[in-house]
Amino acid sequence: MPKSNKILIFDTTLRDGEQSPGASLTPEQKLTIAEQLARLNVDIIEAGYPASSDGEIEAIREICKRVKKPIITGLARTIKNDIDCCLKALEKASKPRVHIFCATSKIHLKYKLKKAKEGILKLTADNIKYAKRFIDDIEFSPEDATRTDFDFLVEIVKTAIAAGATTINIPDTVGCIFPSQFSELIDNLKRAVCFDNVNLSVHCHNDLGLAVANSLAAVRSGANQIECTINGIGERAGNAALEEIVMNIKLHQEIFKRTTNIKTEGLHKISRLVSHLTGIPVQPNKAIIGSNAFAHEAGIHQDGVLKKRATYEIIDPRDVGVEESRLVLGKHSGSHALEEHLKKMGYHLTKNEFGKFFVRFKQIADKKKEVFDEDLEIILDEVKKRIPQIYQLEYIHISSGNKTVPTATIKLKKGKEILEDSACGDGPIDACYKAVERIVGIKGKLLNYSLQAITSGKDALGEVTIKVQFGDKIITARGASTDIIEASAKAYLEAVNRLQAASPVRNPLAIQEELSQFR
Ligand code: KIV
Ligand code: ZN
């Protein structure tokens, strides 16, 4: 193997990755991904399978014109036309490589190619020699190598090297091998074949979820190139995920003692780009780049991470391009995490305020999966008394339906006093507002009402914003709750409270007079 302490990263997102069901990319999208792969510093980009269409040839030609640092390769069967298409696609590449493959397992020979071993050896030798007339850098893959009879595998690999292959790639095409078996296979191959001047590569599929483990096992046995894809996309269950391969090598230097050229800070960005352009979402719990990879939900974990990040994180999120860890605020969150989060939002609460805040937070967290900053702002409104709390909503009961008159019963707290009344209305919200008006003795005219989900999901907090006219005063107010009727009532009450705060002294007779209009 050429002497180097680098493990070469061969990215096949644009070829095997694009073979993911439904993942086809336009030429512009392929170019965008290729440019970002170059920024990530991959060593080789497999840009596609040129013989598949003229459009594919054009797309690869464009990549070759624009992306100069990595080696660019295209895939070809052991067919002269495939190699010609590949050469045409790679014409403008500054570092071109042709990747030729031919199936070698008994099952593929018998049912797919319907050829004997001798025919396969000849095809391989002839086509590599043909390509070698035009290009020096040639990779050969014995497809389904892990199910190929070992002696035949050795024979075909020797044939390929003799014909001019400079990289031999061992694919676990159907993802069937186990790491210790793959390690042994690579060890045995190295004993049987001289790889002094030839790269030894592996290409693992993820049918049993072992693609990364198998690739890493092969590297431990001496492979110096790994074929992989961003987000692990690829045929069927996908390929080995580049981000997982690279971070394992980086974090386990005591084992690998070799590095890759990848600029890991770009991993998150390219993962999002590939997911966006292919339309294949990344599962939240995906290692390294999943949205939960640096999110902590349990109070004990949050407390640990706040005291020392490394208690629950083995990767610094900035190392893979994530700005910072995320403490998910929900029912499992503890007071430490919540207090820290509030500080980050710029709020410092007294002990007493925080006590109230925490109680309210837990009530909301019990109703919602995740509590967002917007939710916290609303709790802050209440706790910090950013809006005067002359009347507080104690209880609300609505009876409504398509065959009943909507009725609302409301209990409000004013100081130590509990005030209660009921009213009917055109709808449940109207009934609510009328009940509030009967209690507080003020009649307003609703000028505007809007409802907005301010957080996501079925359990989102709904925020109601209203504009109410009280005499010559127009007041805007809002209320939020997971229940939209309650949010509406809170909004109205806030309007009343604002009005009371602005003109607190009121004539009781005037109130009685106003009240009598709608009793
Ligand atoms: O999985 C496979 O065997 C392949 C080869 C063409 C390398 O993708
Ligand atoms: Zn493959």
Side-chain angles (χ1 to χ4, degrees):
M1 229 161 307
K3 291 250 172 306
S4 162
N5 71 339
K6 290 289 179 194
I7 297 162
L8 303 173
I9 296 296
F10 175 118
D11 181 277
T12 181
T13 305
L14 297 176
R15 199 277 297 169
D16 217 326
E18 207 199 3
Q19 285 173 221
S20 305
S24 67
L25 297 160
T26 65
E28 296 75 35
Q29 291 172 333
K30 286 188 90 144
L31 177 61
T32 305
I33 293 175
E35 284 170 339
Q36 293 309 316
L37 286 169
R39 287 188 70 180
L40 192 69
N41 222 18
V42 303
D43 302 285
I44 303 115
I45 294 176
E46 186 161 54
Y49 172 40
S52 64
S53 73
D54 288 345
E56 180 82 334
I57 294 178
E58 260 324 298
I60 299 172
R61 281 179 72 84
E62 213 42 48
I63 291 172
C64 292
K65 277 188 217 157
R66 305 271 287 272
V67 180
K68 292 298 178 188
K69 200 166 166 225
I71 292 171
I72 309 286
T73 187
L75 187 66
R77 290 169 295 179
T78 43
I79 296 174
K80 193 170 162 286
N81 180 59
D82 273 28
I83 295 169
D84 289 340
C85 289
C86 212
L87 292 168
K88 188 174 170 199
L90 299 174
E91 202 184 13
K92 302 274 183 238
S94 54
K95 295 184 219 164
R97 171 184 292 185
V98 171
H99 179 189
I100 300 170
F101 78 102
C102 185
T104 51
S105 64
K106 231 183 238 163
I107 185 169
H108 277 231
L109 261 54
K110 184 170 172 196
Y111 294 102
K112 194 178 88 174
L113 299 180
K114 298 186 172 43
K115 278 195 187 334
K117 286 177 178 171
E118 296 66 37
I120 297 297
L121 289 169
K122 185 167 163 24
L123 263 182
T124 299
D126 287 353
N127 281 283
I128 292 176
K129 280 182 195 158
Y130 174 69
K132 197 76 181 178
R133 281 164 47 194
F134 309 99
I135 195 165
D136 191 48
D137 191 346
I138 295 176
E139 173 167 328
F140 175 71
S141 293
E143 190 192 12
D144 205 12
T146 51
R147 290 196 297 176
T148 298
D149 161 56
F150 184 71
D151 291 340
F152 184 54
L153 185 64
V154 169
E155 204 178 347
I156 199 149
V157 166
K158 282 183 174 168
T159 302
I161 295 174
T166 45
T167 296
I168 295 295
N169 177 47
I170 304 298
D172 180 29
T173 304
V174 293
C176 62
I177 208 156
F178 193 77
S180 54
Q181 293 172 329
F182 203 34
S183 216
E184 200 182 320
L185 175 65
I186 299 296
D187 284 339
N188 291 340
L189 201 60
K190 278 176 60 196
R191 254 179 240 122
V193 180
C194 172
F195 283 98
D196 282 355
N197 299 306
V198 180
N199 289 311
L200 177 52
S201 169
V202 288
H203 173 115
C204 299
H205 278 271
N206 207 29
D207 300 66
L208 286 172
L210 291 173
V212 170
N214 283 332
S215 307
L216 295 173
V219 167
R220 282 203 74 189
S221 292
N224 72 329
Q225 176 180 295
I226 304 182
E227 301 198 356
C228 44
T229 59
I230 301 292
N231 299 340
I233 61 170
E235 193 77 49
R236 304 182 310 281
N239 290 64
L242 182 148
E243 58 280 359
E244 294 179 26
I245 298 270
V246 166
M247 290 312 288
N248 267 282
I249 293 171
K250 186 168 178 174
L251 265 73
H252 282 299
Q253 277 302 294
E254 79 287 3
I255 294 171
F256 296 104
K257 299 183 176 70
R258 285 182 289 167
T259 54
T260 71
N261 287 318
I262 300 299
K263 294 181 176 153
T264 59
E265 318 78 65
L267 287 172
H268 187 244
K269 184 172 161 219
I270 198 162
S271 158
R272 298 223 324 237
L273 175 75
V274 169
S275 170
H276 174 68
L277 295 182
T278 57
I280 301 176
V282 175
Q283 72 195 64
N285 59 322
K286 166 86 177 60
I288 319 294
I289 39 80
S291 58
N292 286 350
F294 299 100
H296 305 271
E297 157 99 27
I300 295 167
H301 289 215
Q302 294 182 340
D303 181 56
V305 167
L306 286 167
K307 286 174 176 152
K308 178 96 181 143
R309 190 187 58 75
T311 51
Y312 287 100
E313 270 181 8
I314 57 160
I315 299 169
D316 183 334
R318 283 164 301 195
D319 251 17
V320 296
V322 174
E323 252 173 45
E324 56 180 8
S325 326
R326 194 165 63 92
L327 300 188
V328 178
L329 295 176
K331 67 174 178 182
H332 300 119
S333 300
S335 56
H336 185 182
L338 188 59
E339 220 168 352
E340 285 303 313
H341 192 86
L342 287 171
K343 274 187 205 153
K344 263 195 205 155
M345 288 171 73
Y347 296 117
H348 295 266
L349 273 64
T350 62
K351 213 170 162 200
N352 188 24
E353 283 173 339
F354 185 74
K356 284 186 193 152
F357 188 96
F358 195 58
V359 170
R360 193 71 188 102
F361 167 82
K362 285 284 178 184
Q363 285 168 350
I364 291 191
D366 266 343
K367 292 192 194 165
K368 296 188 84 246
K369 281 195 188 72
E370 191 172 341
V371 181
F372 298 95
D373 285 2
E374 295 90 329
D375 304 325
L376 300 183
E377 289 283 0
I378 289 160
I379 308 176
L380 279 164
D381 280 346
E382 289 173 29
V383 171
K384 288 282 242 178
K385 301 211 186 335
R386 298 199 286 205
I387 291 142
Q389 300 284 304
I390 299 164
Y391 292 99
Q392 280 173 288
L393 185 65
E394 273 287 297
Y395 168 91
I396 181 166
H397 176 81
I398 303 292
S399 144
S400 181
N402 61 349
K403 298 236 165 81
T404 46
V405 179
T407 314
T409 303
I410 286 191
K411 257 189 214 169
L412 299 181
K413 193 172 169 195
K414 187 182 184 198
K416 288 200 169 98
E417 216 182 338
I418 297 287
L419 309 160
E420 180 177 346
D421 214 331
S422 305
C424 301
D426 290 339
I429 294 171
D430 186 45
C432 248
Y433 286 8
K434 286 196 168 125
V436 170
E437 287 174 343
R438 288 171 72 96
I439 297 172
V440 301
I442 305 165
K443 192 167 161 48
K445 187 174 171 201
L446 188 64
L447 302 177
N448 215 327
Y449 174 97
S450 79
L451 169 67
Q452 200 191 352
I454 52 170
T455 53
S456 57
K458 275 198 295 187
D459 54 355
L461 265 194
E463 185 181 68
V464 169
T465 308
I466 53 172
K467 215 179 246 183
V468 197
Q469 185 168 8
F470 297 101
D472 57 355
K473 273 205 170 68
I474 294 179
I475 290 183
T476 302
R478 56 178 202 153
S481 168
T482 47
D483 177 325
I484 58 168
I485 309 284
E486 189 179 331
S488 306
K490 281 182 167 177
Y492 202 69
L493 218 51
E494 185 185 303
V496 168
N497 283 333
R498 283 181 188 275
L499 177 76
Q500 294 273 300
S503 49
V505 187
R506 299 210 68 224
N507 177 351
L509 278 178
I511 294 174
Q512 287 309 316
E513 209 169 288
E514 277 174 31
L515 262 179
S516 64
Q517 294 171 26
F518 49 92
R519 273 218 164 114

